[in-house]
Amino acid sequence: MSAASAGEAGNSGKDPGSGEDRMIARLFEPLARHPGALGLKDDAAFLDLPPGHQLVLTKDALVAGVHFFSDDPPASIARKAMRVNLSDLAAKGAAPLGVLLAIAIPPDMSATALEDFARGLGEDAERYGAPLLGGDTVRTPGPFTVSITALGSVPTGEMVRRTSAPPGAAIVVTGTIGDAALGLQLRLDPGRPGFAALDGAQRAFLTERYLHPRPRLVLAASLRAHALAAMDVSDGLIGDLAKLLAASHIAGELDAARVPLSDAARAAIAAEPALLETALTGGDDYELLAVMAEAHLDAFHARATAAGIGATVIGRTSAGEGLVVRDERGAPLAFARSSFSHF
Amino acid sequence: MSAASAGEAGNSGKDPGSGEDRMIARLFEPLARHPGALGLKDDAAFLDLPPGHQLVLTKDALVAGVHFFSDDPPASIARKAMRVNLSDLAAKGAAPLGVLLAIAIPPDMSATALEDFARGLGEDAERYGAPLLGGDTVRTPGPFTVSITALGSVPTGEMVRRTSAPPGAAIVVTGTIGDAALGLQLRLDPGRPGFAALDGAQRAFLTERYLHPRPRLVLAASLRAHALAAMDVSDGLIGDLAKLLAASHIAGELDAARVPLSDAARAAIAAEPALLETALTGGDDYELLAVMAEAHLDAFHARATAAGIGATVIGRTSAGEGLVVRDERGAPLAFARSSFSHF
């Protein structure tokens, strides 16, 4: 990891020895305890892959004001950046090996904020076994920007694909859906009737679910064992399921009444039924969406339940194309163009 | 690779089906010809590592107005982003396996500019055998920002380190030094006497060297065979050599008169001697800086010459600490604080 200062469009480290850049280096070096990270003091890191395994690679970038609020706690921004990437690994059945981090720091970002960011990153690196291997720190006149590359491994040939879902199988989702999207709405528009119906604990739950995705890495091996296809739910359940079906060239039906909802989401939707659409299309869930043969449902369900996450059958795939979403009476549900019908 | 649109701080793909984002996806999908890239249509890529090899990982980010000029040709920005990363692989003796790309796109970036960027990226992916494996495309209200993670491989245990240089060895650099820094100065201040002395071809050469680094991947295997320690010269020869010596806990002397200069750099410095400091401290060279035992110099030199790059002994390491730079009469040279003396 090299620290660089802003300036003319010259090299990436005109003044790598400035006090501030040394401070930044000092924040991240303690996180680089993996031997291959070389204390972030070399040009590159090295990494061994377990024998008989393949690498799984994903890279997501987050921009202040686009993917998170500028005034989110910096540690929470770090956690979100780590977890959206680790969620992709989980959905592919992979175990984390490590991460590389690039951050572009705006001039008004304080040393305290950077310390808090590094702390959040380090805690998640420990929590998920995804050590910091290297990266880059640069200056930007723009918003705080975070890019993480996550590396994981799977036994060779066993990465769970998005494109391999067959017709005639069950559609399963882990955890509960819509909490994060409702948490975002609660933050943007707390006066909505659906949120007025919630108690403080319920509001805190939704807010927390938006701020801190929970990558389902604990289910990665079980997903490899049982799923025929999977992805994580990042852009909304309905849109993401439509993507998975399209990628696999099959059709599917989703029973909206079976979509697992938290108590808080259920209460908000009961008070304001329009929030159902927010929950089903809003995104940021970071739950696993999988297609499984019937014979595997019990084993996956048992494992997900034992992990305290849960798993629910929400629909079924079929030959053809397109996704139909049905309400509790079996009538097709339509959603606003921006989130669903463009698929 | 997922395409995402700007908006509130919600999920990363509120409107992944917009015409513009589909256009962006179409630009990058043709570059993802590696089977593990899965056409950029899955959550992650997979990659096999050759048996008996380790991964080498590096990640550099570039910001418009900081690391390149906003009006640089977009294909050149892509090339620079690719090549500064590939240069790190070369300096570690690694062969490229592929890259992941994240770009943050400002609202005023045209479709034509993005096409040009994708074209430059694709050409370099072919040229250097570093296929696009995946990544992310996001919106930013800030400057165009590019982050690349490059993956390479070395035979296990053979990555060339920065920290392993012994005393009593030769200091070697490939190619010529200072061209890019002079090319940057020429762009910023074309009226300087040193540049007035150049002909059009010499100016074009320096400009090109600034715009388009040339990663010395062709010498990576030879570096593994012959170098005891190495890094690439990105932040200026003198500063980077001082870093290498400090990381290896040794001292060194650099003979400024032996630093290899191109005809253009030599002519500019002859007309304006102050430009020597620019050349030696300015950076963006992306040449290889290595420490070698005497017995290996001929073989490395022969290989570098055969590759049309060349290699030159510029100094010697010794026990102790610190770097002394001497002029042609053996007198110590001092440089401005911002580029050298902070080490």
Side-chain angles (χ1 to χ4, degrees), chain B residues 64-110:
Chain B
V66 181
H67 304 91
F68 56 86
F69 291 94
S70 300
D71 61 348
D72 281 343
S76 295
I77 297 167
R79 289 183 197 111
K80 179 166 276 193
M82 284 289 279
R83 295 176 187 189
V84 302
N85 279 285
L86 295 173
S87 178
D88 280 326
L89 293 186
K92 304 292 101 181
L97 292 169
V99 297
L100 291 104
L101 168 76
I103 51 175
I105 303 173
D108 63 349
M109 191 162 177
S110 70

mmCIF file of all heavy atoms in Angstrom, chain B residues 64-110:
data_model
loop_
_atom_site.group_PDB
_atom_site.id
_atom_site.type_symbol
_atom_site.label_atom_id
_atom_site.label_comp_id
_atom_site.label_asym_id
_atom_site.label_seq_id
_atom_site.Cartn_x
_atom_site.Cartn_y
_atom_site.Cartn_z
ATOM 1 N N ALA B 64 -8.677 11.470 -11.510
ATOM 2 C CA ALA B 64 -8.511 12.567 -12.475
ATOM 3 C C ALA B 64 -8.094 13.837 -11.747
ATOM 4 O O ALA B 64 -8.660 14.187 -10.709
ATOM 5 C CB ALA B 64 -9.816 12.803 -13.237
ATOM 6 N N GLY B 65 -7.106 14.530 -12.288
ATOM 7 C CA GLY B 65 -6.629 15.754 -11.671
ATOM 8 C C GLY B 65 -5.585 15.517 -10.599
ATOM 9 O O GLY B 65 -4.955 16.457 -10.127
ATOM 10 N N VAL B 66 -5.416 14.260 -10.198
ATOM 11 C CA VAL B 66 -4.393 13.923 -9.214
ATOM 12 C C VAL B 66 -3.306 13.073 -9.871
ATOM 13 O O VAL B 66 -2.129 13.416 -9.834
ATOM 14 C CB VAL B 66 -4.995 13.184 -7.996
ATOM 15 C CG1 VAL B 66 -3.916 12.862 -6.967
ATOM 16 C CG2 VAL B 66 -6.104 14.020 -7.359
ATOM 17 N N HIS B 67 -3.752 11.982 -10.512
ATOM 18 C CA HIS B 67 -2.788 11.047 -11.106
ATOM 19 C C HIS B 67 -2.744 11.120 -12.626
ATOM 20 O O HIS B 67 -1.872 10.531 -13.250
ATOM 21 C CB HIS B 67 -3.120 9.614 -10.687
ATOM 22 C CG HIS B 67 -3.179 9.437 -9.206
ATOM 23 N ND1 HIS B 67 -4.340 9.580 -8.506
ATOM 24 C CD2 HIS B 67 -2.218 9.171 -8.297
ATOM 25 C CE1 HIS B 67 -4.098 9.390 -7.217
ATOM 26 N NE2 HIS B 67 -2.826 9.138 -7.063
ATOM 27 N N PHE B 68 -3.732 11.761 -13.199
ATOM 28 C CA PHE B 68 -3.702 12.008 -14.646
ATOM 29 C C PHE B 68 -4.501 13.277 -14.901
ATOM 30 O O PHE B 68 -5.229 13.745 -14.019
ATOM 31 C CB PHE B 68 -4.264 10.812 -15.437
ATOM 32 C CG PHE B 68 -5.668 10.401 -15.047
ATOM 33 C CD1 PHE B 68 -6.773 11.010 -15.627
ATOM 34 C CD2 PHE B 68 -5.878 9.410 -14.094
ATOM 35 C CE1 PHE B 68 -8.062 10.644 -15.266
ATOM 36 C CE2 PHE B 68 -7.168 9.032 -13.722
ATOM 37 C CZ PHE B 68 -8.259 9.646 -14.310
ATOM 38 N N PHE B 69 -4.314 13.843 -16.090
ATOM 39 C CA PHE B 69 -5.065 15.049 -16.432
ATOM 40 C C PHE B 69 -6.460 14.656 -16.902
ATOM 41 O O PHE B 69 -6.627 13.667 -17.639
ATOM 42 C CB PHE B 69 -4.348 15.824 -17.540
ATOM 43 C CG PHE B 69 -3.069 16.448 -17.100
ATOM 44 C CD1 PHE B 69 -1.851 15.796 -17.274
ATOM 45 C CD2 PHE B 69 -3.067 17.695 -16.489
ATOM 46 C CE1 PHE B 69 -0.664 16.386 -16.864
ATOM 47 C CE2 PHE B 69 -1.881 18.287 -16.076
ATOM 48 C CZ PHE B 69 -0.672 17.630 -16.265
ATOM 49 N N SER B 70 -7.440 15.437 -16.491
ATOM 50 C CA SER B 70 -8.823 15.141 -16.875
ATOM 51 C C SER B 70 -8.985 15.083 -18.389
ATOM 52 O O SER B 70 -9.848 14.363 -18.890
ATOM 53 C CB SER B 70 -9.773 16.204 -16.323
ATOM 54 O OG SER B 70 -9.683 16.239 -14.926
ATOM 55 N N ASP B 71 -8.153 15.841 -19.108
ATOM 56 C CA ASP B 71 -8.301 15.840 -20.570
ATOM 57 C C ASP B 71 -7.310 14.910 -21.261
ATOM 58 O O ASP B 71 -7.151 14.976 -22.473
ATOM 59 C CB ASP B 71 -8.233 17.262 -21.121
ATOM 60 C CG ASP B 71 -6.892 17.931 -20.826
ATOM 61 O OD1 ASP B 71 -6.115 17.381 -20.017
ATOM 62 O OD2 ASP B 71 -6.633 18.999 -21.404
ATOM 63 N N ASP B 72 -6.651 14.039 -20.520
ATOM 64 C CA ASP B 72 -5.880 12.976 -21.174
ATOM 65 C C ASP B 72 -6.839 12.115 -21.989
ATOM 66 O O ASP B 72 -8.003 11.941 -21.601
ATOM 67 C CB ASP B 72 -5.186 12.084 -20.133
ATOM 68 C CG ASP B 72 -3.914 12.697 -19.562
ATOM 69 O OD1 ASP B 72 -3.380 13.640 -20.169
ATOM 70 O OD2 ASP B 72 -3.460 12.223 -18.501
ATOM 71 N N PRO B 73 -6.356 11.547 -23.108
ATOM 72 C CA PRO B 73 -7.245 10.657 -23.858
ATOM 73 C C PRO B 73 -7.693 9.496 -22.952
ATOM 74 O O PRO B 73 -6.873 8.902 -22.260
ATOM 75 C CB PRO B 73 -6.351 10.139 -24.991
ATOM 76 C CG PRO B 73 -5.248 11.143 -25.107
ATOM 77 C CD PRO B 73 -5.045 11.697 -23.729
ATOM 78 N N PRO B 74 -8.996 9.185 -22.920
ATOM 79 C CA PRO B 74 -9.465 8.109 -22.029
ATOM 80 C C PRO B 74 -8.735 6.784 -22.250
ATOM 81 O O PRO B 74 -8.471 6.061 -21.284
ATOM 82 C CB PRO B 74 -10.955 8.008 -22.366
ATOM 83 C CG PRO B 74 -11.315 9.378 -22.838
ATOM 84 C CD PRO B 74 -10.116 9.885 -23.570
ATOM 85 N N ALA B 75 -8.377 6.462 -23.487
ATOM 86 C CA ALA B 75 -7.631 5.220 -23.721
ATOM 87 C C ALA B 75 -6.278 5.270 -23.019
ATOM 88 O O ALA B 75 -5.787 4.256 -22.523
ATOM 89 C CB ALA B 75 -7.447 4.973 -25.220
ATOM 90 N N SER B 76 -5.680 6.462 -22.968
ATOM 91 C CA SER B 76 -4.394 6.601 -22.283
ATOM 92 C C SER B 76 -4.552 6.479 -20.770
ATOM 93 O O SER B 76 -3.673 5.944 -20.095
ATOM 94 C CB SER B 76 -3.758 7.948 -22.634
ATOM 95 O OG SER B 76 -3.444 8.000 -24.010
ATOM 96 N N ILE B 77 -5.663 6.985 -20.245
ATOM 97 C CA ILE B 77 -5.925 6.826 -18.812
ATOM 98 C C ILE B 77 -6.043 5.334 -18.481
ATOM 99 O O ILE B 77 -5.488 4.850 -17.492
ATOM 100 C CB ILE B 77 -7.216 7.579 -18.415
ATOM 101 C CG1 ILE B 77 -7.043 9.082 -18.660
ATOM 102 C CG2 ILE B 77 -7.572 7.304 -16.960
ATOM 103 C CD1 ILE B 77 -8.349 9.876 -18.613
ATOM 104 N N ALA B 78 -6.760 4.606 -19.324
ATOM 105 C CA ALA B 78 -6.897 3.156 -19.111
ATOM 106 C C ALA B 78 -5.530 2.487 -19.165
ATOM 107 O O ALA B 78 -5.212 1.625 -18.330
ATOM 108 C CB ALA B 78 -7.827 2.555 -20.168
ATOM 109 N N ARG B 79 -4.726 2.873 -20.153
ATOM 110 C CA ARG B 79 -3.394 2.267 -20.274
ATOM 111 C C ARG B 79 -2.561 2.565 -19.038
ATOM 112 O O ARG B 79 -1.878 1.700 -18.512
ATOM 113 C CB ARG B 79 -2.682 2.807 -21.518
ATOM 114 C CG ARG B 79 -3.266 2.295 -22.808
ATOM 115 C CD ARG B 79 -2.479 2.805 -24.025
ATOM 116 N NE ARG B 79 -3.282 2.629 -25.212
ATOM 117 C CZ ARG B 79 -3.815 3.602 -25.934
ATOM 118 N NH1 ARG B 79 -3.612 4.876 -25.597
ATOM 119 N NH2 ARG B 79 -4.560 3.325 -26.978
ATOM 120 N N LYS B 80 -2.599 3.814 -18.570
ATOM 121 C CA LYS B 80 -1.796 4.143 -17.386
ATOM 122 C C LYS B 80 -2.268 3.322 -16.183
ATOM 123 O O LYS B 80 -1.449 2.761 -15.449
ATOM 124 C CB LYS B 80 -1.868 5.648 -17.075
ATOM 125 C CG LYS B 80 -1.079 6.032 -15.844
ATOM 126 C CD LYS B 80 -0.852 7.533 -15.710
ATOM 127 C CE LYS B 80 0.343 7.991 -16.504
ATOM 128 N NZ LYS B 80 0.802 9.354 -16.206
ATOM 129 N N ALA B 81 -3.578 3.215 -16.012
ATOM 130 C CA ALA B 81 -4.096 2.451 -14.863
ATOM 131 C C ALA B 81 -3.673 0.985 -14.956
ATOM 132 O O ALA B 81 -3.305 0.366 -13.952
ATOM 133 C CB ALA B 81 -5.621 2.576 -14.803
ATOM 134 N N MET B 82 -3.737 0.415 -16.145
ATOM 135 C CA MET B 82 -3.286 -0.967 -16.322
ATOM 136 C C MET B 82 -1.797 -1.080 -16.034
ATOM 137 O O MET B 82 -1.335 -1.959 -15.312
ATOM 138 C CB MET B 82 -3.534 -1.425 -17.764
ATOM 139 C CG MET B 82 -4.961 -1.753 -18.100
ATOM 140 S SD MET B 82 -5.552 -3.280 -17.305
ATOM 141 C CE MET B 82 -4.876 -4.540 -18.410
ATOM 142 N N ARG B 83 -1.033 -0.168 -16.606
ATOM 143 C CA ARG B 83 0.420 -0.365 -16.636
ATOM 144 C C ARG B 83 1.091 -0.077 -15.309
ATOM 145 O O ARG B 83 2.108 -0.691 -14.992
ATOM 146 C CB ARG B 83 1.005 0.479 -17.770
ATOM 147 C CG ARG B 83 0.511 0.002 -19.117
ATOM 148 C CD ARG B 83 0.987 0.874 -20.254
ATOM 149 N NE ARG B 83 0.351 0.472 -21.506
ATOM 150 C CZ ARG B 83 0.697 0.944 -22.699
ATOM 151 N NH1 ARG B 83 1.685 1.835 -22.795
ATOM 152 N NH2 ARG B 83 0.074 0.534 -23.785
ATOM 153 N N VAL B 84 0.551 0.870 -14.523
ATOM 154 C CA VAL B 84 1.182 1.094 -13.213
ATOM 155 C C VAL B 84 0.992 -0.136 -12.333
ATOM 156 O O VAL B 84 1.853 -0.471 -11.520
ATOM 157 C CB VAL B 84 0.666 2.376 -12.512
ATOM 158 C CG1 VAL B 84 0.904 3.594 -13.396
ATOM 159 C CG2 VAL B 84 -0.795 2.275 -12.125
ATOM 160 N N ASN B 85 -0.115 -0.834 -12.510
ATOM 161 C CA ASN B 85 -0.324 -2.080 -11.768
ATOM 162 C C ASN B 85 0.552 -3.203 -12.319
ATOM 163 O O ASN B 85 1.177 -3.949 -11.560
ATOM 164 C CB ASN B 85 -1.805 -2.471 -11.828
ATOM 165 C CG ASN B 85 -2.642 -1.711 -10.822
ATOM 166 O OD1 ASN B 85 -2.596 -2.002 -9.637
ATOM 167 N ND2 ASN B 85 -3.399 -0.727 -11.281
ATOM 168 N N LEU B 86 0.605 -3.331 -13.636
ATOM 169 C CA LEU B 86 1.410 -4.400 -14.237
ATOM 170 C C LEU B 86 2.898 -4.183 -13.954
ATOM 171 O O LEU B 86 3.661 -5.143 -13.836
ATOM 172 C CB LEU B 86 1.133 -4.477 -15.738
ATOM 173 C CG LEU B 86 -0.307 -4.895 -16.087
ATOM 174 C CD1 LEU B 86 -0.545 -4.775 -17.593
ATOM 175 C CD2 LEU B 86 -0.603 -6.311 -15.607
ATOM 176 N N SER B 87 3.303 -2.922 -13.809
ATOM 177 C CA SER B 87 4.689 -2.624 -13.465
ATOM 178 C C SER B 87 5.043 -3.180 -12.085
ATOM 179 O O SER B 87 6.157 -3.676 -11.870
ATOM 180 C CB SER B 87 4.914 -1.114 -13.522
ATOM 181 O OG SER B 87 6.231 -0.786 -13.140
ATOM 182 N N ASP B 88 4.094 -3.108 -11.158
ATOM 183 C CA ASP B 88 4.334 -3.712 -9.841
ATOM 184 C C ASP B 88 4.516 -5.228 -9.962
ATOM 185 O O ASP B 88 5.375 -5.812 -9.295
ATOM 186 C CB ASP B 88 3.161 -3.409 -8.896
ATOM 187 C CG ASP B 88 3.240 -2.008 -8.309
ATOM 188 O OD1 ASP B 88 4.358 -1.514 -8.065
ATOM 189 O OD2 ASP B 88 2.179 -1.416 -8.065
ATOM 190 N N LEU B 89 3.714 -5.870 -10.788
ATOM 191 C CA LEU B 89 3.895 -7.313 -11.000
ATOM 192 C C LEU B 89 5.275 -7.598 -11.573
ATOM 193 O O LEU B 89 5.984 -8.496 -11.115
ATOM 194 C CB LEU B 89 2.822 -7.865 -11.942
ATOM 195 C CG LEU B 89 1.378 -7.884 -11.448
ATOM 196 C CD1 LEU B 89 0.500 -8.608 -12.482
ATOM 197 C CD2 LEU B 89 1.237 -8.553 -10.092
ATOM 198 N N ALA B 90 5.666 -6.825 -12.591
ATOM 199 C CA ALA B 90 6.977 -7.039 -13.217
ATOM 200 C C ALA B 90 8.092 -6.924 -12.184
ATOM 201 O O ALA B 90 9.012 -7.748 -12.160
ATOM 202 C CB ALA B 90 7.184 -6.032 -14.347
ATOM 203 N N ALA B 91 7.987 -5.920 -11.317
ATOM 204 C CA ALA B 91 9.054 -5.679 -10.339
ATOM 205 C C ALA B 91 9.135 -6.781 -9.294
ATOM 206 O O ALA B 91 10.150 -6.919 -8.604
ATOM 207 C CB ALA B 91 8.827 -4.339 -9.654
ATOM 208 N N LYS B 92 8.087 -7.561 -9.161
ATOM 209 C CA LYS B 92 8.093 -8.688 -8.222
ATOM 210 C C LYS B 92 8.416 -9.995 -8.935
ATOM 211 O O LYS B 92 8.341 -11.067 -8.338
ATOM 212 C CB LYS B 92 6.736 -8.782 -7.514
ATOM 213 C CG LYS B 92 6.310 -7.502 -6.783
ATOM 214 C CD LYS B 92 7.202 -7.214 -5.586
ATOM 215 C CE LYS B 92 8.241 -6.146 -5.895
ATOM 216 N NZ LYS B 92 9.142 -5.871 -4.733
ATOM 217 N N GLY B 93 8.728 -9.904 -10.232
ATOM 218 C CA GLY B 93 9.064 -11.110 -10.993
ATOM 219 C C GLY B 93 7.861 -11.944 -11.381
ATOM 220 O O GLY B 93 7.991 -13.125 -11.712
ATOM 221 N N ALA B 94 6.669 -11.336 -11.371
ATOM 222 C CA ALA B 94 5.423 -12.092 -11.590
ATOM 223 C C ALA B 94 4.940 -11.989 -13.030
ATOM 224 O O ALA B 94 5.156 -10.987 -13.708
ATOM 225 C CB ALA B 94 4.335 -11.588 -10.649
ATOM 226 N N ALA B 95 4.273 -13.045 -13.478
ATOM 227 C CA ALA B 95 3.590 -13.043 -14.775
ATOM 228 C C ALA B 95 2.114 -12.734 -14.541
ATOM 229 O O ALA B 95 1.507 -13.270 -13.613
ATOM 230 C CB ALA B 95 3.739 -14.410 -15.436
ATOM 231 N N PRO B 96 1.494 -11.868 -15.362
ATOM 232 C CA PRO B 96 0.096 -11.486 -15.131
ATOM 233 C C PRO B 96 -0.875 -12.653 -15.310
ATOM 234 O O PRO B 96 -0.681 -13.499 -16.188
ATOM 235 C CB PRO B 96 -0.177 -10.434 -16.213
ATOM 236 C CG PRO B 96 1.149 -10.053 -16.770
ATOM 237 C CD PRO B 96 2.076 -11.197 -16.527
ATOM 238 N N LEU B 97 -1.891 -12.673 -14.466
ATOM 239 C CA LEU B 97 -3.013 -13.613 -14.623
ATOM 240 C C LEU B 97 -4.276 -12.895 -15.072
ATOM 241 O O LEU B 97 -5.091 -13.459 -15.796
ATOM 242 C CB LEU B 97 -3.292 -14.326 -13.293
ATOM 243 C CG LEU B 97 -2.237 -15.306 -12.790
ATOM 244 C CD1 LEU B 97 -2.545 -15.719 -11.354
ATOM 245 C CD2 LEU B 97 -2.186 -16.536 -13.686
ATOM 246 N N GLY B 98 -4.446 -11.663 -14.625
ATOM 247 C CA GLY B 98 -5.651 -10.912 -14.987
ATOM 248 C C GLY B 98 -5.819 -9.703 -14.097
ATOM 249 O O GLY B 98 -5.006 -9.473 -13.186
ATOM 250 N N VAL B 99 -6.851 -8.924 -14.374
ATOM 251 C CA VAL B 99 -7.123 -7.715 -13.593
ATOM 252 C C VAL B 99 -8.607 -7.629 -13.254
ATOM 253 O O VAL B 99 -9.461 -8.160 -13.970
ATOM 254 C CB VAL B 99 -6.720 -6.424 -14.357
ATOM 255 C CG1 VAL B 99 -5.224 -6.394 -14.632
ATOM 256 C CG2 VAL B 99 -7.513 -6.262 -15.645
ATOM 257 N N LEU B 100 -8.885 -6.930 -12.153
ATOM 258 C CA LEU B 100 -10.243 -6.488 -11.834
ATOM 259 C C LEU B 100 -10.240 -4.969 -11.876
ATOM 260 O O LEU B 100 -9.267 -4.334 -11.450
ATOM 261 C CB LEU B 100 -10.685 -6.994 -10.466
ATOM 262 C CG LEU B 100 -10.891 -8.508 -10.414
ATOM 263 C CD1 LEU B 100 -9.718 -9.175 -9.705
ATOM 264 C CD2 LEU B 100 -12.192 -8.860 -9.726
ATOM 265 N N LEU B 101 -11.332 -4.412 -12.368
ATOM 266 C CA LEU B 101 -11.411 -2.974 -12.609
ATOM 267 C C LEU B 101 -12.615 -2.386 -11.895
ATOM 268 O O LEU B 101 -13.726 -2.910 -12.026
ATOM 269 C CB LEU B 101 -11.593 -2.738 -14.113
ATOM 270 C CG LEU B 101 -11.989 -1.329 -14.558
ATOM 271 C CD1 LEU B 101 -10.792 -0.390 -14.492
ATOM 272 C CD2 LEU B 101 -12.553 -1.350 -15.991
ATOM 273 N N ALA B 102 -12.410 -1.312 -11.136
ATOM 274 C CA ALA B 102 -13.547 -0.509 -10.664
ATOM 275 C C ALA B 102 -13.378 0.895 -11.211
ATOM 276 O O ALA B 102 -12.287 1.468 -11.126
ATOM 277 C CB ALA B 102 -13.607 -0.484 -9.137
ATOM 278 N N ILE B 103 -14.448 1.435 -11.793
ATOM 279 C CA ILE B 103 -14.410 2.828 -12.223
ATOM 280 C C ILE B 103 -15.593 3.569 -11.616
ATOM 281 O O ILE B 103 -16.698 3.031 -11.517
ATOM 282 C CB ILE B 103 -14.421 3.006 -13.762
ATOM 283 C CG1 ILE B 103 -15.557 2.225 -14.430
ATOM 284 C CG2 ILE B 103 -13.089 2.574 -14.356
ATOM 285 C CD1 ILE B 103 -15.653 2.493 -15.937
ATOM 286 N N ALA B 104 -15.318 4.806 -11.180
ATOM 287 C CA ALA B 104 -16.359 5.715 -10.709
ATOM 288 C C ALA B 104 -16.489 6.814 -11.760
ATOM 289 O O ALA B 104 -15.519 7.539 -12.023
ATOM 290 C CB ALA B 104 -16.002 6.283 -9.344
ATOM 291 N N ILE B 105 -17.670 6.888 -12.359
ATOM 292 C CA ILE B 105 -17.889 7.708 -13.549
ATOM 293 C C ILE B 105 -18.599 9.007 -13.171
ATOM 294 O O ILE B 105 -19.675 8.973 -12.588
ATOM 295 C CB ILE B 105 -18.751 6.935 -14.569
ATOM 296 C CG1 ILE B 105 -18.074 5.595 -14.912
ATOM 297 C CG2 ILE B 105 -18.993 7.764 -15.819
ATOM 298 C CD1 ILE B 105 -18.947 4.690 -15.783
ATOM 299 N N PRO B 106 -18.015 10.166 -13.509
ATOM 300 C CA PRO B 106 -18.693 11.433 -13.220
ATOM 301 C C PRO B 106 -19.820 11.687 -14.222
ATOM 302 O O PRO B 106 -19.846 11.098 -15.310
ATOM 303 C CB PRO B 106 -17.580 12.475 -13.378
ATOM 304 C CG PRO B 106 -16.576 11.839 -14.277
ATOM 305 C CD PRO B 106 -16.691 10.345 -14.121
ATOM 306 N N PRO B 107 -20.754 12.545 -13.842
ATOM 307 C CA PRO B 107 -21.935 12.758 -14.696
ATOM 308 C C PRO B 107 -21.604 13.304 -16.079
ATOM 309 O O PRO B 107 -22.345 13.055 -17.029
ATOM 310 C CB PRO B 107 -22.784 13.765 -13.899
ATOM 311 C CG PRO B 107 -22.017 14.140 -12.693
ATOM 312 C CD PRO B 107 -20.827 13.272 -12.568
ATOM 313 N N ASP B 108 -20.478 14.029 -16.196
ATOM 314 C CA ASP B 108 -20.188 14.660 -17.487
ATOM 315 C C ASP B 108 -19.312 13.806 -18.391
ATOM 316 O O ASP B 108 -18.858 14.274 -19.423
ATOM 317 C CB ASP B 108 -19.540 16.029 -17.263
ATOM 318 C CG ASP B 108 -18.199 15.906 -16.547
ATOM 319 O OD1 ASP B 108 -17.888 14.793 -16.040
ATOM 320 O OD2 ASP B 108 -17.464 16.908 -16.469
ATOM 321 N N MET B 109 -19.098 12.562 -18.032
ATOM 322 C CA MET B 109 -18.249 11.708 -18.874
ATOM 323 C C MET B 109 -19.101 11.146 -20.006
ATOM 324 O O MET B 109 -20.146 10.544 -19.769
ATOM 325 C CB MET B 109 -17.629 10.590 -18.047
ATOM 326 C CG MET B 109 -16.546 9.837 -18.792
ATOM 327 S SD MET B 109 -15.483 8.909 -17.642
ATOM 328 C CE MET B 109 -14.399 8.094 -18.838
ATOM 329 N N SER B 110 -18.648 11.326 -21.228
ATOM 330 C CA SER B 110 -19.466 10.967 -22.385
ATOM 331 C C SER B 110 -19.360 9.480 -22.700
ATOM 332 O O SER B 110 -18.419 8.802 -22.295
ATOM 333 C CB SER B 110 -19.001 11.755 -23.606
ATOM 334 O OG SER B 110 -17.731 11.291 -24.020
#
